[in-house]
Amino acid sequence: MAVARLIEAQLRDGIRASDLDLPQVRDAAWRARQRGVKVVLLDDGGLSVLADEEAARARDHLGAAVAELLADAESGRVTVRIHPPGRSTLASVGVDTDDQVELVEFTAAGTAHSSSSATPASSADRWPAR
């Protein structure tokens, strides 16, 4: 049954995130899901307005970066989104683990900006039980 769920997720990725349907991203998402990481890939068409050469270059840079982030994820959730056309960033990757949240934003030129923060402790951890 586990393999069937992985296949279903991979098929869904190909439909919902066609510009991320690259071998290195498919493989990294498969392995991350096997480790229990929740992976969501979304494509809102931001690459569609770029010239063919620029789109191919951006897709290659983004695919390599996404594959690396997925390979590093051991738990939690990774959400990758190619933004709609007209946004200042081409794509973003959110990595949410038990103790940290990281957001990496990518431009069409291939530059990345990362910000992260520690996840606040739950209220159960902050307040003593009565």
Side-chain angles (χ1 to χ4, degrees), residues 1 23 33 36 39 46 57-58 70 95 101 109 111 119 126:
M1 187 61 137
R33 287 177 173 128
V39 178
R57 192 171 39 255
L70 287 168
V95 180
V101 176
T111 59
T119 303
R126 288 189 306 245

Side-chain angles (χ1 to χ4, degrees), residues 13-26:
D13 292 344
I15 294 167
R16 294 191 333 190
S18 59
D19 275 328
L20 291 168
D21 194 21
L22 304 167
Q24 74 264 29
V25 174
R26 278 193 308 267

